Amino acid sequence: MINLPVKTWHLGDPHQSLVLASFDNRLPEAVYWGPALPTGESHKTLSAASLMDVTGGMVDENAAISLCPEASQTFPGQTGLTVRSRDGNPLAPAFRYESEAASEHGLTLVFADKALDLTLVLDLTLTPETSLLKLQTRLESADIVQVDWLAAPVLPVPAHTGEMIEFSGRWCAEFLTRRLPFAPGARLRDNRSGRTDHAHFPGLIVCTPGTSNTQGEAFAFHYGWSGGHRMVAEELADGRRQVQFGHAGGSQAAGRHFVTAPLYATYSAGGFNGAAIRFQRHVRDAIVQDMRTPRPVHYNCWEAVYFDHKLDELKAIATHAAGLGAERFVLDDGWFGLRDDDTSSLGDWIIDGRKYPDGLTPLIDHVKALGLEFGLWFEPEMINEDSNLYRAHPDWVLGPSDQTRGRQQLVLDMAREDVRTHLHDQIAAILRDNDIGYIKWDHNRVLPLVDAAQTEGVYQLIDRLRADFPQVEIESCASGGGRIDFGILERTQRVWLSDSNDALERQRIQHDAALFLPAAVTGSHVGPRRCHTSGRTLDIRIRAWTAAQRHMGFEMDPSELTEEETDVLREVTSWWKSNRDWMMRADILRLDSSDPAVIAEQQLAENGDRFAVFAALIRASDQILPHPVRLTGLDPASLYKVSLANRDQAPRLSRGSPFLKTEDLEVSGQYLMSHGLTLPWRFPDTIWVLEGQRL
């Protein structure tokens, strides 16, 4: 096989190289993916060097882990395409090179099976600003076919990595991570909930046993799709490994044209942070469009009033929120139809005349007079049986009539153009007739079936509304973090990370979500003193500082605040406003803590001249005194001035005299990264906040 003709391609930058090779005009395979190769490296030599031996008990040629592994090549693992003819017969295409087109930062490769009239198109890009691979597969057929599985371009991962980190979760506990060893066979995650889902964030990180936040190798993946998806991480019998992502199996109807969502991937030699900052920057600078800056302090009334809307009370809440520093007021569920609880009126997007006899104008005028933007809650994809829309159009419901209900509601069939038109017209009328700058777009149940057309329909509706009302920002919420992915973020400017406003739970959720999400799009709110989802009572300081780590907001009845709590919240909000311009563009660097009771992160400005460190003690430590907190990403030779922003919060049991307790510290970046900062003793459920400036 060494003597066969070889075509090679290289996508590379100073951070990573991806070398592809096509032997004998077959589908290309990644013969190298890792640290950036030196200029002049022979890619044909690498291609020849990638070939493996064969021995007893094997076929005479190892089938390639190509960008779409083929059954026709006797591939022994999960193939990249499972396709059937119109009459249901399995097809096993053998694609051969047809053409290619290069762009400044990518290429498109076209391969065909002329006997079956199938064409496979591979779109491959390496974004120069963020060093993130964007990979997409298209299948074109002359005849109608049924595709049961189509993978985005498939990448191998090396044998020395050994471990993978996958993501799961639940309501109020999103972005749970699990570190697993690679083992022979396939690790399959098939999300059939119809949305991204709390339990199936479409991400994966492959790493070595020694990889940490700040050091070691990591290969990171994210599938940018808001519907059901499948992930395969497989170790073949010969030791090779592959990673596949695509739409959930069988979720696409028969047709002639099929396309995966983009698979985003990157190699990092600098630990998990190296990959995380590329995802963060790419979301902030390349995915999200029309993000308003500065990011306004957010107030949402849900946990203050729920469905009990009274105009005078809402006006008073808005006034109080403005006094705390809020710059946006969002009216949540309960303003439309006859909506007094969650059993009715979804689908009837008409202002409730009982609660708002003069429409929303009096409340909006009051909010605007306070200098706040007005936002409004919708859940457009859902319908209650107790609604005028359901009584008029029961046929618009997705799935069978005897399906299990979720949160007292059914789902509208978003693949139908008449459904999308109706929703667009009702929402557009509200936006046209009222001064609204923000939508909280909710999605409070899983789908009764997995159908890619449902997600495509949602995209079309949001895209149309964005085109008609470009000044309106949209937040993606799905019972909190049930629909967070790069596909929905192409159409929205904010995500509601979790319905949990428990600051201790938020610390963990925010920490793990930072592997993919920047602060600017990640909503985080100061909730009630007694959290409505955990029942835990927490001090205002940990609640306020936790919200200040992301896009800050409030979500409580402000009248519950004591004078002291009011002063603390105003102070932290003022601090956030003073720092938001640089913090909302900062890299979130997760810090490796030697104390498992501490969750710590460092937000480093784009130019590296300043940083903020948040170190939360989320439970009682096993240590009698705090371990030093080691920083990362600094210039070892530079001096930095470090201060403890909330040093006045040291408790009486902190009886010693650590330097930062009373004075600012001027030390080198080398000291901060190798030794770290010695902090005062503190109680559990508290947080230290540090500020640093390069001198």
Side-chain angles (χ1 to χ4, degrees):
M1 187 171 180
I2 294 176
N3 296 320
L4 295 175
V6 180
K7 296 180 186 294
T8 64
W9 301 270
H10 176 233
L11 294 174
D13 63 15
H15 302 289
Q16 63 182 318
S17 287
L18 175 66
V19 178
L20 304 174
S22 168
F23 295 93
D24 197 22
N25 288 324
R26 292 178 178 174
L27 287 175
E29 55 187 289
V31 296
Y32 178 87
W33 183 29
L37 294 171
T39 302
E41 182 89 58
S42 170
H43 301 145
K44 288 195 175 181
T45 299
L46 297 184
S47 303
S50 72
L51 299 177
M52 299 176 66
D53 203 354
V54 293
T55 187
M58 301 177 69
V59 294
D60 293 338
E61 182 180 312
N62 293 306
I65 298 180
S66 70
L67 298 189
C68 187
E70 295 174 289
S72 62
Q73 304 302 313
T74 321
F75 187 71
Q78 169 70 54
T79 59
L81 172 64
T82 305
V83 58
R84 292 177 283 126
S85 66
R86 184 196 294 262
D87 56 8
N89 292 322
L91 303 177
F95 292 106
R96 292 296 184 269
Y97 176 85
E98 280 283 302
S99 64
E100 63 185 272
S103 62
E104 185 180 0
H105 302 294
L107 61 148
T108 296
L109 305 178
V110 181
F111 290 76
D113 184 320
K114 293 182 178 179
L116 296 176
D117 278 334
L118 294 173
T119 302
L120 195 73
V121 182
L122 303 164
D123 294 306
L124 316 168
T125 304
L126 179 59
T127 53
E129 297 84 5
T130 56
S131 191
L132 209 62
L133 290 161
K134 181 182 180 182
L135 313 172
Q136 206 158 5
T137 304
R138 290 181 277 149
L139 180 71
E140 309 287 342
S141 174
D143 196 5
I144 292 176
V145 293
Q146 177 64 59
V147 170
D148 298 319
W149 171 244
L150 176 64
V154 177
L155 292 176
V157 290
H160 71 265
T161 49
E163 294 185 347
M164 69 180 90
I165 297 175
E166 63 176 21
F167 296 85
S168 60
R170 58 168 173 80
W171 180 67
C172 289
E174 291 83 348
F175 285 91
L176 290 172
T177 61
R178 176 180 293 185
R179 195 159 178 162
L180 302 171
F182 258 100
R187 175 67 177 170
L188 171 67
R189 296 288 299 271
D190 201 14
N191 168 23
R192 309 197 66 79
S193 69
R195 64 180 184 183
T196 315
D197 201 51
H198 302 78
H200 297 281
F201 175 75
L204 181 74
I205 300 174
V206 178
C207 59
T208 70
T211 302
S212 68
N213 289 320
T214 56
Q215 60 185 2
E217 290 188 297
F219 297 80
F221 303 82
H222 171 70
Y223 190 60
W225 174 243
S226 307
H229 74 275
R230 177 187 290 176
M231 180 209 80
V232 181
E234 184 175 31
E235 181 177 310
L236 304 178
D238 57 30
R240 292 179 296 163
R241 295 166 177 163
Q242 63 163 337
V243 172
Q244 297 189 9
F245 276 92
H247 289 10
S251 62
Q252 294 177 283
R256 292 185 172 90
H257 310 282
F258 302 86
V259 61
T260 69
L263 175 64
Y264 299 91
T266 194
Y267 164 81
S268 165
F272 303 132
N273 285 339
I277 62 175
R278 294 178 199 164
F279 284 117
Q280 292 170 22
R281 293 174 183 177
H282 195 79
V283 168
R284 189 188 64 222
D285 299 334
I287 296 286
V288 175
Q289 304 296 317
D290 304 319
M291 183 190 298
R292 194 167 307 140
T293 55
R295 306 301 284 144
V297 177
H298 199 93
Y299 176 80
N300 184 289
C301 72
W302 176 242
E303 293 194 14
V305 301
Y306 290 99
F307 297 102
D308 187 18
H309 290 207
K310 296 181 176 66
L311 181 59
D312 289 344
E313 183 178 346
L314 289 166
K315 285 182 176 180
I317 288 173
T319 300
H320 203 156
L324 294 169
E327 297 163 311
R328 171 187 288 156
F329 177 93
V330 178
L331 185 66
D332 212 285
D333 194 356
W335 58 268
F336 57 93
L338 299 173
R339 182 79 163 172
D340 296 325
D341 55 35
D342 64 3
T343 65
S344 77
S345 300
L346 286 176
D348 297 342
W349 301 110
I350 298 170
I351 297 167
D352 185 348
R354 303 169 307 158
K355 300 176 182 177
Y356 300 97
D358 298 313
L360 295 176
T361 301
L363 179 58
I364 294 175
D365 287 348
H366 179 79
V367 167
K368 299 291 287 187
L370 294 168
L372 278 64
E373 179 182 71
F374 185 82
L376 196 61
W377 181 95
F378 288 90
E379 193 175 3
E381 299 151 73
M382 304 296 163
I383 186 171
N384 289 122
E385 289 163 281
D386 182 10
S387 68
N388 292 332
L389 182 61
Y390 181 84
R391 286 183 279 271
H393 292 287
D395 56 311
W396 284 6
V397 170
L398 180 69
S401 59
D402 61 349
Q403 66 181 269
T404 302
R405 275 58 176 163
R407 201 176 181 257
Q408 315 292 329
Q409 62 199 47
L410 297 165
V411 184
L412 289 167
D413 186 350
M414 300 298 293
R416 294 180 57 138
E417 186 175 356
D418 50 359
V419 170
R420 296 195 303 272
T421 298
H422 172 82
L423 291 172
H424 170 272
D425 292 349
Q426 282 208 322
I427 296 170
I430 295 291
L431 297 179
R432 243 189 340 263
D433 297 342
N434 298 276
D435 189 356
I436 294 169
Y438 189 84
I439 289 175
K440 179 181 177 183
W441 188 297
D442 216 337
H443 183 290
N444 278 309
R445 61 155 290 178
V446 300
L447 272 58
L449 51 90
V450 58
D451 183 1
Q454 180 77 6
T455 302
E456 295 288 358
V458 173
Y459 286 171
Q460 291 177 42
L461 175 58
I462 297 176
D463 289 346
R464 185 178 175 190
L465 287 166
R466 287 285 315 281
D468 291 346
F469 302 95
Q471 78 284 2
V472 176
E473 282 200 347
I474 300 176
E475 173 188 285
S476 174
C477 176
S479 296
R483 186 161 63 187
I484 296 176
D485 58 82
F486 291 9
I488 202 68
L489 278 165
E490 287 183 340
R491 297 160 172 87
T492 57
Q493 291 78 25
R494 191 179 197 254
V495 295
W496 182 227
L497 187 59
S498 177
D499 277 347
S500 173
N501 279 322
D502 183 304
L504 301 184
E505 293 177 348
R506 276 265 167 178
Q507 281 290 327
R508 202 278 309 155
I509 298 169
Q510 292 178 175
H511 190 67
D512 291 332
L515 290 167
F516 297 92
L517 300 178
V521 305
T522 307
S524 188
H525 296 173
V526 182
R529 186 182 305 118
R530 183 178 185 273
C531 179
H532 291 189
T533 56
S534 71
R536 185 155 42 195
T537 298
L538 293 172
D539 186 83
I540 187 62
R541 294 163 183 81
I542 184 70
R543 289 186 281 144
W545 283 115
T546 297
Q549 291 176 241
R550 299 296 184 267
H551 182 194
M552 187 176 190
F554 320 139
E555 188 166 349
M556 90 291 275
D557 182 351
S559 66
E560 80 165 22
L561 297 170
T562 65
E563 184 176 348
E564 180 191 21
E565 289 173 329
T566 298
D567 290 343
V568 169
L569 186 50
R570 282 178 178 154
E571 179 182 350
V572 175
T573 303
S574 178
W575 180 92
W576 187 82
K577 287 182 176 180
S578 297
N579 289 279
R580 63 181 162 185
D581 287 345
W582 72 267
M583 281 181 59
M584 294 299 98
R585 294 198 58 81
D587 294 331
I588 303 171
L589 304 174
R590 297 168 16 130
L591 297 178
D592 293 320
S593 174
S594 57
D595 185 346
V598 173
I599 293 178
E601 72 177 34
Q602 174 186 333
Q603 298 195 15
L604 182 63
E606 281 184 293
N607 61 10
D609 284 348
R610 63 192 305 178
F611 60 82
V613 173
F614 302 86
L617 185 65
I618 60 171
R619 63 170 173 81
S621 175
D622 295 337
Q623 315 301 323
I624 191 169
L625 292 175
H627 290 180
V629 175
R630 298 201 301 167
L631 309 191
T632 189
L634 304 178
D635 177 9
S638 293
L639 282 178
Y640 294 84
K641 180 179 180 180
V642 182
S643 61
L644 194 57
N646 57 341
R647 60 168 53 113
D648 61 329
Q649 295 171 17
R652 291 178 62 188
L653 279 177
S654 171
R655 298 184 296 158
S657 302
F659 197 89
L660 281 168
K661 192 174 177 182
T662 56
E663 299 182 55
D664 295 344
L665 184 66
E666 294 184 7
V667 290
S668 68
Q670 185 65 68
Y671 177 86
L672 292 171
M673 292 188 292
S674 59
H675 180 276
L677 292 165
T678 301
L679 298 173
W681 185 92
R682 49 13 197 306
F683 289 117
D685 307 346
T686 60
I687 187 169
W688 287 125
V689 181
L690 297 129
E691 297 178 273
Q693 183 78 47
R694 180 153 52 186
L695 298 174

